[in-house]
Amino acid sequence: MTTGSLAGTLRTRGRQVAKRLLGYDSRNWLRIRQIEAFTVFLEAANRKASDVIEISPGWNRTWRAMCPNYRSVEFPDFDICRDRTEEQYSIVIADQVLEHVQRPIAAVQNIHAMTRPGGWAMVATPFLFRVHARPHD
């Protein structure tokens, strides 16, 4: 290890420690509010015990730990504009997906088809980011 890289590592580590000591929250504040709202909804009337499917880029598994009957499909391999599951679910979560699809109406129709009658579709899309990474934003 060179002295320069050691100094850089120490500087980075020092910043991380200082942020933690000061209580700095580095999470994306938009996602924090969305996750809080989804959590409140899922916990109400014990909806989290329902059968849940999530359509997302694969990195967001917040709901896996909360919902015992959880399943996921990964976008874009699972193309929500073209694909749908045979099964219907009480709750379908499409988290940060619709802003990436070329045919949003087809995607919403498939989400609806995957949602059991009387069930819920929980959809979150960003509204402040015009351009962002794809599909893992």
Side-chain angles (χ1 to χ4, degrees):
M1 178 179 286
T2 66
T3 306
S5 63
L6 177 59
T9 300
L10 290 173
R11 189 171 32 256
T12 299
R13 186 71 179 132
R15 283 190 202 118
Q16 291 170 342
V17 169
K19 286 179 179 180
R20 189 170 56 242
L21 289 172
L22 293 171
Y24 178 76
D25 190 345
S26 62
R27 297 174 297 171
N28 181 319
W29 65 272
L30 293 172
R31 297 300 303 266
I32 291 170
R33 292 296 176 212
Q34 176 244 318
I35 289 170
E36 286 174 353
F38 277 25
T39 299
V40 167
F41 179 82
L42 287 168
E43 288 180 343
N46 199 30
R47 291 183 187 116
K48 64 184 178 184
S50 302
D51 51 322
V52 175
I53 187 166
E54 179 180 11
I55 306 155
S56 76
W59 53 266
N60 185 17
R61 296 292 182 249
T62 303
W63 318 118
R64 177 183 309 226
M66 176 186 273
C67 303
N69 299 314
Y70 172 91
R71 177 180 171 207
S72 65
V73 290
E74 291 195 18
F75 175 82
D77 295 333
F78 182 89
D79 181 355
I80 192 59
C81 295
R82 181 190 67 224
D83 302 327
R84 65 172 73 160
T85 61
E86 295 286 326
E87 306 84 15
Q88 289 185 313
Y89 297 86
S90 298
I91 299 174
V92 178
I93 300 173
D95 192 3
Q96 313 299 319
V97 172
L98 289 182
E99 73 273 19
H100 297 288
V101 302
Q102 292 183 0
R103 297 180 303 126
I105 293 173
V108 170
Q109 288 171 334
N110 284 334
I111 290 168
H112 183 263
M114 292 168 55
T115 306
R116 181 173 288 130
W120 296 276
M122 299 171 64
V123 178
T125 60
F127 61 94
L128 293 177
F129 303 114
R130 295 174 115 191
V131 177
H132 56 279
R134 180 171 190 238
H136 304 284
D137 50 352

